[in-house]
Amino acid sequence: MTRATTGNSGVKTMRIVLFVAGVFAAALGGLMVVPAALDAVNGNSDWLAFMESAVMSVAIGISVAMVNRGGIGEIGKISLRQGYLLTAASWFAVSLAGAVPFWVSGLNISFTDAVFESISGLTTTGSTVLTGLDVMPQGILMWRAMLQWVGGIGIVVMAVAVLPFLRVGGMQLFRMESSDRSDKLQARVADLSIQIFSIYLLLTVLCAVGYRYFGMSNFEATVHAMTTVPTGGYSTSDQSLGHFAGVGIQWVAIVFMLAGSLPFAAYVRFLYSFDARAFSEDSQIGVFLGACLTFTMIIGLWLVFSGQTAPVDAFRLAAFSIVSIATTTGYVVVDYLTWGPPAVVTFFMLTFVGGCAGSTAGGIKTFRLEVLAMEVRRQCRFLAYPNGVFLDRLNGKPVTGSLAVSVLLFVFLFAASATAMTILLAFTGLDFQTASSAAVTALANVGPGLGGIIGPSGNFQPLSDAAKWILDLGMLTGRLEFLTVLVVFIPGIWPAPLWR
């Protein structure tokens, strides 16, 4: 490749990336008008901060997009390398834009805390540095919910329509047949996005109706619906859902946390066929729901036989807590760390798992655990029958060697990243339990960790700025499935010089 050709390629790449990042930042800025209007109606002066943030984000975003408008014609022809950089840069851009209202509002928090809250919201992690939520202006509470809702739909579109074609972490197994009609990634994403958004919106509305029916105000129901379906976990109270009386709210949360953690590809298929087999034929759904039920029974029985809770409450509290952690939502109604070592170990292990692929949930994902189990079984067969030929299938598709390698690589990267982050967090002064659980909860996008600082009854405010920036990187890396971020830093993969 000649120097001129290389420079040309670099310019095209950066124009595409900057154009899309600018558009996304401007779009997020436009959404800031909603909390601004809410604060204005309620007579809160923070509406000015939101309007200033909106003007700033829109102006900068549009300016960047206009300067790089030459990238418009190239969007439909993006390469794999450009796709990786585009995905990572877009999430970074909207994370910074989303932080501005927190920083300039009356919260009086640092830029570090503002970015942490924004990234935690957009990645639907749900970890927070804010306290006093019960008396906080509605505009801020709505903005937190909107970040999670926008992040949730972005995650689903990325998981179903983008990552499979970037071959990230074995996600190519979940290519949608209906998305293969076009040779252009842009067309595939547009087609799926409309279907997914419709389903996502419907689930959110139904969830809000359920919360309202069982006693929440209109505002509380709307905010919590916008953080339940995305499995985000932001609440309007420092006590999370434990603030609200009545078991009906908890059951609504359980139903819609599970709904958000199921693959949206199955919803799309059901939309086409109205055949319930769209769900039953996806093995990860059965495995995930079965695991939630099994662990609910185990923890429920533990609570009953240890005399901590009456049977009528034990299984409901166990179900809520198990589903909240397994779906990586992070809502809390009771401090489950007081339930004893068996419960603590169970919740820590569930932090790794996550929901189904192609859902709003984080974690390793159930389908990867299925592939790992198949690979272990296949290797055991090879030991007994060295000359045998074994072909495993998942949902009717062959589990190839490349898929197994992708999954193994993902799990290795998850474990290696968690170890590295734990060590780095320990250098910031955190004890092992806090550091390790913070690392895992960031990478798995769960929310609460373990221990007295970041556990169910605490938050991430006491952590140092260095620890928060480490967790910021962890939340983004985990949400973007590791390789999407790591590939950006591989030497030699980008045209050099990139900016010429």
Side-chain angles (χ1 to χ4, degrees):
M1 182 181 288
T2 66
R3 186 184 185 92
T5 304
T6 301
N8 233 9
S9 178
V11 170
K12 287 182 179 179
T13 296
M14 294 313 300
R15 280 181 177 174
I16 295 170
V17 170
L18 292 175
F19 174 79
V20 174
V23 170
F24 283 171
L28 193 67
L31 293 177
M32 296 175 191
V33 175
V34 176
L38 194 59
D39 272 344
V41 169
N42 290 321
N44 190 284
S45 60
D46 272 353
W47 75 270
L48 288 171
F50 277 108
M51 288 306 299
E52 291 171 2
S53 302
V55 171
M56 185 189 309
S57 299
V58 172
I60 294 175
I62 290 179
S63 298
V64 171
M66 291 299 293
V67 169
N68 296 279
R69 61 186 180 278
I72 297 177
E74 303 292 328
I75 292 177
K77 300 178 286 186
I78 60 173
S79 66
L80 284 176
R81 292 186 303 178
Q82 292 167 333
Y84 293 124
L85 184 59
L86 179 64
T87 303
S90 299
W91 280 79
F92 180 74
V94 295
S95 295
L96 290 181
V100 176
F102 295 122
W103 189 32
V104 301
S105 69
L107 293 176
N108 295 319
I109 62 175
S110 66
F111 179 71
T112 296
D113 284 351
V115 173
F116 183 94
E117 196 76 10
S118 175
I119 291 178
S120 180
L122 285 165
T123 59
T124 71
T125 303
S127 302
T128 185
V129 295
L130 301 181
T131 56
L133 298 177
D134 300 80
V135 294
M136 197 164 284
Q138 288 189 354
I140 291 292
L141 297 176
M142 176 58 73
W143 183 238
R144 296 168 81 238
M146 289 177 67
L147 286 177
Q148 292 204 325
W149 198 79
V150 169
I153 188 66
I155 288 160
V156 175
V157 171
M158 182 181 71
V160 176
V162 178
L163 293 185
F165 295 93
L166 297 184
R167 298 182 173 274
V168 173
M171 289 296 292
Q172 61 267 30
L173 186 67
F174 294 90
R175 286 186 179 181
M176 287 288 295
E177 287 78 4
S178 62
S179 68
D180 291 334
R181 300 170 187 163
S182 170
D183 292 330
K184 294 184 178 181
L185 178 62
Q186 181 185 12
R188 288 191 291 261
V189 173
D191 182 38
L192 279 175
S193 296
I194 295 173
Q195 300 164 354
I196 290 171
F197 179 80
S198 301
I199 295 165
Y200 191 73
L201 180 61
L202 176 61
L203 290 176
T204 305
V205 171
L206 292 176
C207 183
V209 170
Y211 280 139
R212 183 68 184 90
Y213 178 79
F214 285 105
M216 284 188 179
S217 68
N218 290 330
F219 176 76
E220 291 167 339
T222 301
V223 167
H224 284 93
M226 294 173 69
T227 61
T228 301
V229 175
T231 61
Y234 275 161
S235 179
T236 59
S237 172
D238 290 333
Q239 297 175 288
S240 190
L241 287 193
H243 171 77
F244 300 95
V247 300
I249 287 175
Q250 295 176 26
W251 284 114
V252 171
I254 290 171
V255 168
F256 285 96
M257 285 190 290
L258 288 173
S261 64
L262 299 184
F264 276 69
Y267 289 113
V268 173
R269 293 189 182 100
F270 179 76
L271 196 64
Y272 275 112
S273 63
F274 291 98
D275 189 343
R277 285 179 296 180
F279 295 95
S280 62
E281 290 177 352
D282 192 337
S283 63
Q284 63 172 335
I285 296 178
V287 172
F288 174 68
L289 295 179
C292 288
L293 179 60
T294 300
F295 283 110
T296 294
M297 296 301 295
I298 292 173
I299 297 301
L301 289 172
W302 164 255
L303 292 176
V304 171
F305 286 109
S306 62
Q308 299 185 58
T309 312
V312 67
D313 296 321
F315 291 98
R316 171 178 49 80
L317 294 175
F320 183 94
S321 299
I322 290 292
V323 169
S324 180
I325 298 301
T327 62
T328 70
T329 306
Y331 280 144
V332 177
V333 293
V334 64
D335 188 351
Y336 46 77
L337 297 185
T338 63
W339 291 351
V344 173
V345 172
T346 298
F347 287 117
F348 183 70
M349 296 307 298
L350 285 175
T351 301
F352 290 87
V353 178
C356 299
S359 72
T360 62
I364 293 176
K365 304 290 195 308
T366 304
F367 96 90
R368 292 193 178 96
L369 299 181
E370 288 186 274
V371 173
L372 284 176
M374 290 179 179
E375 186 63 16
V376 169
R377 184 178 63 182
R378 192 171 71 88
Q379 293 300 326
C380 290
R381 288 176 176 175
F382 271 128
L383 292 176
Y385 306 99
N387 297 320
V389 177
F390 308 101
L391 179 63
D392 291 311
R393 290 182 175 274
L394 188 61
N395 298 335
K397 299 179 180 179
V399 178
T400 61
S402 62
L403 174 62
V405 169
S406 295
V407 170
L408 288 169
L409 177 60
F410 180 92
V411 175
F412 168 76
L413 288 174
F414 191 104
S417 299
T419 301
M421 283 183 62
T422 299
I423 294 172
L424 290 174
L425 290 170
F427 274 107
T428 68
L430 298 180
D431 62 89
F432 175 75
Q433 183 186 52
T434 303
S436 59
S437 66
V440 173
T441 197
L443 291 169
N445 306 121
V446 175
L450 301 178
I453 302 175
I454 61 172
S457 58
N459 79 0
F460 287 71
Q461 176 58 47
L463 272 58
S464 67
D465 285 356
K468 290 169 186 172
W469 284 111
I470 293 170
L471 294 175
D472 286 343
L473 180 60
M475 288 185 285
L476 283 173
T477 302
R479 178 47 73 189
L480 297 181
E481 302 277 309
F482 294 94
L483 288 176
T484 309
V485 175
L486 296 179
V487 74
V488 175
F489 299 101
I490 296 177
I493 195 172
W494 302 110
L498 187 62
W499 291 92
R500 295 183 185 175

